[in-house]
Amino acid sequence: MDDTSETGNNGIVLKCEGLTKLYTSGLIRTKTVTGAKDVSFGIKRGEIVSLAGESGSGKSTVARMILRLIKPTSGSITLNGRSIYSYDIREYYRQVQAVFQDPYSAFNPFYTVDHVMERAFGLREGSIDPDEKDKIIQSTLESIGLNPSEVLGRYPHELSGGQMQRMLIGRSLLIGSQLLIADEPTSMIDASTRAGVLNLLLSLKKDKGLSVLFITHDIGQAQYVSERVLVMKQGEVVEQGPVDEVFIRPKHPYTKELLAAVPTLYERWDTCR
Ligand SMILES: Nc1ncnc2c1ncn2[C@@H]1O[C@H](COP(=O)(O)OP(=O)(O)OP(=O)(O)O)[C@@H](O)[C@H]1O
Ligand SMILES: [Mg+2]
């Protein structure tokens, strides 16, 4: 995907500025919860940026705003220098795809995997020879570590959570998306296959210039996969910068707290003695 001219802005694909989301609930006694407050960051082409923080810190709120699932209370989001709301919705989802914490929610339970993958071609740019479709689906599945004969023809409930999360990454590959919003993309994958998905993201970034917002509460995964990290607490970004700087020389007390909470093998061994 050669889109350097398209991205402009020094290769910045996505830019969030002063993003704030206040949730209000109740009719008479309204209650306001701050989902996100004044969040600003950018993602370049071929860059993986992690969004880390404890549960309820506002990570998914940011993801949902970028995915146009909820509207920001204030602030702006641009894709390739244009407001995300200026894009036709189909065009927007051609560029931006997601992998969710709960991958099953992204699939219609009545459609087989083949159907879901076929529909992805509808969002893809340019037309494609029908005979080619099957070949492309097969090779895409193989490239994300799935055996086509094992998954094709099956329904979402017949697949494991990890297979579903891979399917979502495969779908964005088929569409040729520029940006992947990955909200806890390894939450349903056991430790042994987790590295496979993280490596898949790293290779897509390298080979296809894919940009990724990688949301996690696992500092180890953020460090493994990304070059830059944002740390969120109670809706606000308390620290951001290159991964090694933030995790090796954390400035904010909350980042230090998060790091201290990561169990190390040594501590485990020490307490077991
Ligand atoms: N639809 C909603 N209505 C009201 N409050 C909400 C809504 N969605 C989220 N919140 C609140 O906004 C805050 C941020 O939630 P969010 O889901 O963004 O956190 P998170 O960092 O993704 O957490 P987790 O790691 O558990 O997924 C929380 O206090 C949450 O209770
Ligand atoms: Mg979340």
Side-chain angles (χ1 to χ4, degrees), residues 23-25 33-35 53-62 64 101 183-184 215 217:
Y23 293 107
T24 41
S25 55
V33 176
T34 305
E54 66 194 1
S55 183
S57 55
K59 305 178 300 292
S60 296
T61 298
V62 171
R64 287 199 292 266
Q101 256 163 331
D183 192 347
E184 306 270 7
I215 296 176
H217 54 256

Side-chain angles (χ1 to χ4, degrees), residues 247-267:
F247 290 154
I248 293 169
R249 281 179 293 279
K251 292 193 185 74
H252 197 279
Y254 177 67
T255 315
K256 290 180 189 168
E257 245 174 66
L258 272 185
L259 286 167
V262 178
T264 65
L265 220 50
Y266 174 74
E267 277 168 4

